[in-house]
């Protein structure tokens, strides 16, 4: 709830520090004293537009600081602060400050951390609910009517939201599968053509390197063919050097025993024959490896060209072509399997839809039943508030399927008819501001709402009424404030003022050319005097004081 409000240099207010407590607090004062200035100042910290006209004449800037304290931080408020990365320790006060410069521009702070004005508007929903002559938020806004009815009915909205989420996810999976299958079928002919082309070639991993090496060897063999042919004469034929070396070795073998040096010579000659034999084998192997076969070379080059062309076509390496073939086969298998999978997804989507519809229909029935009870409760509050000719109706309309959502299938709106025979119309279309405020009061009493803003403000809800009606308004305001709540009422009615737990008097004074607005927290004697003034006017009589005492004693 709002516990403190500090105002500096706002219009006629030079410096003002107010403390607020729980229960019903009333603000009174003569017309033109500056009650609207107080609400305008509070509106700044709630995110209203920063009008430079609010800055007190002759000052460079104005500021407003509001302090809110909570036994437990409301969920919506906690989420908004977390999203904005504003830390608030348990039990710590929430302090909102807004500064406006006379030459334009404003800055906002939450617990001394700079924030955007949009955050203030978000926080305002959980902090202050203002009902006045031109109210366009709170209970007047149809956007919140469904949630209010659900809270009144104790409806299972969470179960419907869960079923909606399941249905939405099942529908998304089905749509994705259908799109994938449709795209795959469009690609099917192309996949088959590509796969047939690859299958005809049947590429193998590592094949490119093998073919490239073979081609390189053949090309080298073609270049070295003459040299190899010349070398062959060293070994081929009976008169070749190698044959002569072998004949010499055989002759030396017969005489080697005759002398040690001959034996050593034979050993060296044998080694030479062996080495020469190995050289002959390697040259023969090289000749065979580099044998130039024009037909085989042409086959290898054609194969390499085809493989590399396919690799470019599929934007991959030649060695990756076998995996490309496997991926194509998997896609084609998926197309064939897709129809079976699609049937399963369609069944899951239908089941999720049925679960959602059943829960949404149950929620619809709960809302319709609760709407009747709420209409009766509001109707019981209208007559004491001098709205006995008016009628209230909670319209629960089932929407077409394309407008269903996490909150069910219904649109909910509070409607009123102010005169007999008149058509029902939305709350925000009512002609009289005073009637609107009393309708809102009746609705809030009927709802006994616990989940609204921490602080509720009614601005001149008693406009145009008096006597028993004003007394009924005061009684309901006090009841609505209860023990733990906080409700502030700007009022001209002594009957309403007498119901306040705390009473603030707003006054305007002038010294020369300087006019100031001040606010004073009244004690018991001050309350009697202010209520007597409200009863009698400019001259406070003893009779008015006695009547003020009776009003105060009556509460």
């Amino acid at each position: 709830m709002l516990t403190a409000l500090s105002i500096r240099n706002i219009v006629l207010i030079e410096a003002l520090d107010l403390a607020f407590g729980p229960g019903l607090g009333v603000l009174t004062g003569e017309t033109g004293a500056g009650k609207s200035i107080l609400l305008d100042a509070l509106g700044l910290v709630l995110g209203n537009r920063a009008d430079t006209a609010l800055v007190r004449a002759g000052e460079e800037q104005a500021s407003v600081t509001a302090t809110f304290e909570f036994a437990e931080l409301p969920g919506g408020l906690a989420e908004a602060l977390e999203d904005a990365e504003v830390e608030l320790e348990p039990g710590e006060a929430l302090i909102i400050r807004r500064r406006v410069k006379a030459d334009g521009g404003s800055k906002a702070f939450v617990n001394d951390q700079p924030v955007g004005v949009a955050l203030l508007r978000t926080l305002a929903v959980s902090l202050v609910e203002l009902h006045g002559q031109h109210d366009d938020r709170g209970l007047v806004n149809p956007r919140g009517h469904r949630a209010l009815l659900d809270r009144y009915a104790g409806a299972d909205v969470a179960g419907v939201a869960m079923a909606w989420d399941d249905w939405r996810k099942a529908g998304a999976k089905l749509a994705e599968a259908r799109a994938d299958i449709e795209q795959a079928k469009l690609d099917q002919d192309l996949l088959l053509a590509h796969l047939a082309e690859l299958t005809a070639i049947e590429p193998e991993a590592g094949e490119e390197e093998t073919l490239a090496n073979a081609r390189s060897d053949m090309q080298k063999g073609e270049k070295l063919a003459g040299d190899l042919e010349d070398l062959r004469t060293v070994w081929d034929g009976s008169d070749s050097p190698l044959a002569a070396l072998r004949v010499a070795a055989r002759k030396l073998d017969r005489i080697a025993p005759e002398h040690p040096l001959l034996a050593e010579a034979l050993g060296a000659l044998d080694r030479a024959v062996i080495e020469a034999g190995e050289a002959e084998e390697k040259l023969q192997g090289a000749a065979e490896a580099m044998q130039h076969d024009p037909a085989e070379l042409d086959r290898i080059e054609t194969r390499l060209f085809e493989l590399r062309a396919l690799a470019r076509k599929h934007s991959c390496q030649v060695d990756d072509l076998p995996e490309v073939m496997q991926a194509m086969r998997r896609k084609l298998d998926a197309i064939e399997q897709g129809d079976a999978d699609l049937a399963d997804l369609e069944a899951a989507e239908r089941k999720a839809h049925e679960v959602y519809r059943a829960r949404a229909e149950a929620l619809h029935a709960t809302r319709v039943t609760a709407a009747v009870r709420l209409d009766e409760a509001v109707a019981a509050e209208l007559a004491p508030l001098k709205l006995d000719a008016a009628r209230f109706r909670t319209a629960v309309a089932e929407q077409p399927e394309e407008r269903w959502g996490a909150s069910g299938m219904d649109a909910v709106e509070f409607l009123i008819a102010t005169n007999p025979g008149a058509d029902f119309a939305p709350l925000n279309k009512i002609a009289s501001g005073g009637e609107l405020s009393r309708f809102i009061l009746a609705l809030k009493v009927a709802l006994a709402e616990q989940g609204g803003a921490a602080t509720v403000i009614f601005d001149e809800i008693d406009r145009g009424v008096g006597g028993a009606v004003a007394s009924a308004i005061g009684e309901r305001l006090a009841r609505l404030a209860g023990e733990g709540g906080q409700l502030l009422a700007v009022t001209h009615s002594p009957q309403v003022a007498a119901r306040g737990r705390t009473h603030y008097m707003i006054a305007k004074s002038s010294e020369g050319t300087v006019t100031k607005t001040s606010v004073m927290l009244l004690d018991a004697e001050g309350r009697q005097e202010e209520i007597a003034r409200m009863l009698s006017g400019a001259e406070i009589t003893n009779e008015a004081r006695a009547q003020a005492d009776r009003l105060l004693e009556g509460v």
Side-chain angles (χ1 to χ4, degrees):
M1 68 176 180
L2 177 66
T3 56
L5 184 65
S6 178
I7 303 172
R8 297 291 183 272
N9 299 321
I10 295 288
V11 192
L12 300 179
I13 300 176
E14 183 178 19
L16 183 63
D17 295 293
L18 294 174
F20 298 95
L24 175 61
V26 295
L27 295 93
T28 65
E30 295 181 356
T31 301
K35 295 185 290 294
S36 62
I37 299 174
L38 203 62
L39 296 179
D40 288 341
L42 182 60
L44 281 177
V45 295
L46 299 178
N48 289 356
R49 187 174 69 87
D51 189 348
T52 56
L54 291 174
V55 181
R56 181 177 170 83
E59 300 294 337
E60 293 183 357
Q61 65 178 25
S63 67
V64 181
T65 303
T67 302
F68 297 88
E69 296 182 20
F70 308 91
E72 183 177 348
L73 202 63
L77 194 63
E79 292 173 5
L81 291 172
E82 183 178 355
D83 291 343
E85 298 182 352
V86 176
E87 295 184 1
L88 191 67
E89 298 295 329
E92 182 182 3
L94 177 67
I95 302 173
I96 302 177
R97 180 162 54 93
R98 186 88 179 274
R99 192 169 62 212
V100 182
K101 291 185 177 181
D103 57 359
S106 71
K107 291 185 177 181
F109 304 85
V110 174
N111 284 30
D112 290 328
Q113 180 173 324
V115 298
V117 177
L119 176 62
L120 302 190
R121 298 191 190 102
T122 302
L123 299 179
V125 175
S126 300
L127 294 175
V128 177
E129 185 179 321
L130 175 61
H131 302 291
Q133 299 298 303
H134 305 290
D135 185 22
D136 61 354
R137 296 185 295 183
L139 293 180
V140 175
N141 193 333
R143 291 184 179 180
H145 293 177
R146 183 170 56 199
L148 289 170
L149 179 62
D150 288 342
R151 191 178 299 127
Y152 178 77
D156 179 22
V157 183
V160 174
M162 185 180 301
W164 164 259
D165 188 54
D166 291 343
W167 179 30
R168 184 179 56 81
K169 288 179 179 177
K173 287 182 179 179
L174 177 60
E176 182 180 1
R178 282 174 173 164
D180 289 345
I181 290 174
E182 186 66 26
Q183 184 61 47
K185 286 182 177 179
L186 291 174
D187 296 341
Q188 188 173 23
D189 291 342
L190 184 61
L191 282 171
L192 288 169
H194 285 166
L195 186 58
E197 188 177 35
L198 286 165
T199 303
I201 292 180
E202 202 65 43
E204 298 178 1
E207 184 179 7
E208 181 186 28
E209 184 179 0
T210 301
L211 290 172
N213 290 338
R215 183 183 66 174
S216 177
D217 288 343
M218 283 190 177
Q219 290 171 339
K220 291 175 183 177
E222 182 180 16
K223 185 185 299 183
L224 300 175
D227 294 332
L228 290 173
E229 187 61 30
D230 292 341
L231 286 170
R232 188 176 299 169
T233 61
V234 176
W235 286 274
D236 288 349
S238 58
D239 58 347
S240 68
L242 181 57
L245 191 61
R246 286 171 177 160
V247 170
R250 286 194 296 272
K251 290 180 178 181
L252 185 57
D253 182 57
R254 290 195 298 269
I255 63 174
E258 301 299 328
H259 193 280
L261 288 176
L262 291 175
E264 292 179 10
L266 177 61
L269 191 58
D270 284 341
R271 289 194 296 274
V273 171
I274 293 171
E275 292 291 336
E278 290 179 358
E280 180 185 21
E281 291 176 1
K282 294 186 184 299
L283 283 169
Q284 183 64 31
E288 291 175 358
M290 294 189 292
Q291 185 179 5
H292 175 56
D293 182 349
E296 179 64 12
L297 180 58
D298 183 62
R299 185 194 70 79
I300 290 174
E301 288 184 334
T302 300
R303 177 76 175 172
L304 277 172
F305 176 81
E306 291 174 342
L307 289 171
R308 288 169 176 172
L310 282 174
R312 287 193 299 272
K313 186 174 185 177
H314 296 287
S315 302
C316 67
Q317 300 297 319
V318 172
D319 283 349
D320 294 332
L321 286 173
E323 175 56 32
V324 170
M325 290 178 62
Q326 293 301 318
M328 289 182 179
R329 291 190 177 109
R330 287 194 294 269
K331 286 183 179 179
L332 289 169
D333 291 341
I335 293 173
E336 295 178 0
Q337 181 64 30
D339 290 337
D341 294 340
L342 193 63
D344 292 340
L345 290 171
E346 287 173 343
E349 192 273 342
R350 282 195 301 272
K351 182 177 180 181
H353 172 263
E354 290 168 1
V355 170
Y356 170 80
R357 186 181 189 105
R359 293 185 181 180
E361 288 176 346
L363 178 58
H364 173 77
T366 299
R367 285 168 172 163
V368 170
T369 301
V372 174
R373 290 192 290 109
L374 180 59
D375 292 351
E376 292 173 351
V378 174
E381 296 292 332
L382 295 180
L385 296 175
K386 202 178 180 181
L387 293 169
D388 46 310
R391 292 167 295 150
F392 175 87
R393 185 173 74 190
T394 305
V396 180
E398 186 174 336
Q399 300 295 291
E401 186 168 320
E402 61 269 18
R403 299 186 66 182
W404 294 358
S407 297
M409 57 176 61
D410 303 316
V412 177
E413 187 171 8
F414 300 145
L415 305 175
I416 56 173
T418 55
N419 298 303
D423 292 334
F424 281 93
L427 271 176
N428 56 0
K429 301 298 183 183
I430 193 169
S432 166
E435 285 181 328
L436 175 59
S437 295
R438 280 179 280 148
F439 259 112
I440 291 171
L441 177 59
L443 183 56
K444 286 193 72 68
V445 171
L447 288 168
E449 184 190 356
Q450 300 299 317
T455 300
V456 179
I457 299 176
F458 279 95
D459 183 17
E460 299 187 2
I461 189 175
D462 48 27
R463 178 185 290 266
V465 299
V469 176
S471 180
I473 291 174
E475 185 274 330
R476 280 157 177 77
L477 289 174
R479 176 157 38 111
L480 193 58
E483 292 300 322
Q486 183 185 54
L487 192 151
L488 301 175
V490 177
T491 180
H492 290 287
S493 167
Q495 291 89 343
V496 173
R499 290 280 180 174
R501 177 183 292 186
T502 52
H503 190 152
Y504 303 87
M505 186 181 72
I506 304 172
K508 183 167 64 175
S509 61
S510 297
E511 295 180 8
T513 59
V514 178
T515 301
K516 295 181 181 180
T517 290
S518 61
V519 181
M520 179 186 302
L521 176 62
L522 300 179
D523 57 15
E525 183 178 348
R527 290 192 68 189
Q528 180 210 44
E529 197 72 4
E530 172 63 4
I531 293 174
R533 181 199 63 77
M534 297 171 73
L535 286 166
S536 64
E539 183 179 349
I540 302 176
T541 63
N542 289 332
E543 183 181 350
R545 291 188 178 94
Q547 179 63 20
D549 286 338
R550 285 191 290 271
L551 285 176
L552 291 168
E553 290 170 0
V555 299

